Amino acid sequence: MSKIIALDFDGVICDSIDECLLVSYHAFYGKSKIDKIDFSDIQEDLVNDFKKSRYIVGPAKDFYFLWKSIIEYRKSSKEVINTFVKFKKLEANHELPFAKRFYLLRDQLKKKYYSEWVLLNPFYREIKNLLIKFSDRHNLFIVTAKDTDSVSDLLQANNVDIKREQIYGREISLDKRNLFRKMITDRDLSQKDIIFIDDNISNLIDVNEIGISCFLATWGYNSDLDKNQAKKNNITPLKLSDLQSIL
């Protein structure tokens, strides 16, 4: 049996940083709609801080803590990260109204400006070419904290033919261990049958602990510290140029 290759979406297949920046900024400030695809209203230093620190965010609700850290503690990138961790511990559940607003705004954006929304979510060129080449294989899956509809729409917009039933998204769970447990049950697999590629070290450590082989996508949202942490946890850092050898 061929190994199941499971890919995260944001930061592995798709560079969604501009979409996340625009939507999360409006959600943080309590906006009910996004009137235009325009970053000019966001201060340049805030944009830079957001992009530098994007790698610490997991599911969308974490953007609440990132913006709070950037806006209230902007002395250094290190201070933003330390404050982010502190806020996540001290203000658990404060992010829930933000998360609801984030998904509503993204859904509105997608419906009103569909073509522009697709452009805010470009695929990494090398990944897109590989997915088009290998997408007819039944062992290629997507395991993501993004909603299945958005993933499916973006795959279709990029001419990648991965079936909807091969996508495990946030409707099931935001915990990727639970997504894999469902996949294993659905398809009568064992952990050793699966390889998982993600750019988020926290997700990889969690999934690695349940016996699935993991690789850190170094082209995504991560840091040198994440790469060192991966090695300490028997997770292999993977370069984009080496991906085809796994697929």
Side-chain angles (χ1 to χ4, degrees):
M1 175 182 175
S2 299
K3 289 274 191 182
I4 294 292
I5 309 297
L7 302 170
D8 177 42
F9 194 73
D10 292 332
V12 174
I13 294 173
C14 170
D15 184 5
S16 60
I17 197 164
D18 284 339
E19 182 216 45
C20 292
L21 168 62
L22 186 68
V23 175
S24 65
Y25 180 81
H26 282 75
F28 184 78
Y29 281 105
K31 305 293 186 182
S32 60
K33 60 181 179 177
I34 299 174
D35 293 318
K36 56 184 177 178
I37 311 294
D38 186 0
F39 297 90
S40 62
D41 293 337
I42 309 175
Q43 294 177 30
E44 187 176 351
D45 55 345
L46 293 181
V47 172
N48 292 337
D49 285 345
F50 179 93
K51 292 189 174 184
K52 284 179 187 175
S53 306
R54 165 65 181 88
Y55 70 92
I56 62 177
V57 171
K61 64 187 180 71
D62 287 353
F63 285 118
Y64 168 81
F65 300 115
L66 179 56
W67 279 118
K68 190 173 175 66
S69 302
I70 288 171
I71 289 165
E72 295 187 16
Y73 294 88
R74 292 170 56 195
K75 294 179 182 178
S76 68
S77 295
K78 184 177 180 181
E79 188 63 32
V80 166
I81 292 165
N82 290 338
T83 307
F84 172 88
V85 173
K86 181 182 75 173
F87 281 149
K88 280 195 72 172
K89 291 179 180 177
L90 296 179
E91 300 194 18
N93 299 324
H94 286 209
E95 79 282 10
L96 297 181
F98 166 89
K100 183 178 180 180
R101 196 158 50 243
F102 177 95
Y103 291 121
L104 285 172
L105 285 170
R106 187 169 71 183
D107 190 49
Q108 290 173 11
L109 181 70
K110 179 179 165 185
K111 288 177 179 176
K112 187 174 182 180
Y113 301 107
Y114 185 81
S115 298
E116 293 86 348
W117 172 76
V118 169
L119 293 175
L120 286 172
N121 290 276
F123 280 21
Y124 297 102
R125 182 173 55 83
E126 297 89 341
I127 296 289
K128 178 178 176 178
N129 292 340
L130 286 172
L131 289 179
I132 290 172
K133 181 178 180 180
F134 293 114
S135 61
D136 61 340
R137 289 168 42 171
H138 299 296
N139 67 326
L140 197 58
F141 286 75
I142 295 172
V143 176
T144 176
K146 206 178 192 80
D147 63 286
T148 299
D149 283 343
S150 292
V151 173
S152 183
D153 288 341
L154 289 168
L155 290 170
Q156 185 177 4
N158 284 275
N159 300 310
V160 176
D161 185 24
I162 294 177
K163 305 301 182 189
R164 189 180 179 87
E165 56 266 27
Q166 291 168 252
I167 303 169
Y168 285 75
R170 74 173 179 87
E171 299 85 359
I172 300 167
S173 177
L174 289 175
D175 186 330
K176 292 191 176 177
R177 291 168 294 189
N178 292 336
L179 297 179
F180 279 108
R181 290 181 182 117
K182 179 165 176 54
M183 178 191 290
I184 287 166
T185 301
D186 288 348
R187 300 177 181 276
D188 193 24
L189 301 169
S190 72
Q191 288 89 336
K192 63 180 175 57
D193 296 325
I194 304 170
I195 291 172
F196 180 43
I197 302 170
D198 197 331
D199 64 312
N200 184 285
I201 187 61
S202 297
N203 290 334
L204 289 168
I205 290 171
D206 286 345
V207 173
N208 193 49
E209 287 177 352
I210 65 171
I212 291 173
S213 297
C214 293
F215 292 80
L216 176 68
T218 58
W219 61 90
Y221 313 128
N222 44 63
S223 67
D224 289 339
L225 183 63
D226 292 336
K227 296 176 181 69
N228 291 332
Q229 198 173 355
K231 292 173 184 176
K232 291 177 183 177
N233 286 275
N234 297 314
I235 295 166
T236 304
L238 181 70
K239 295 179 181 178
L240 187 49
S241 57
D242 296 328
L243 179 60
Q244 184 166 349
S245 65
I246 292 177
L247 298 178

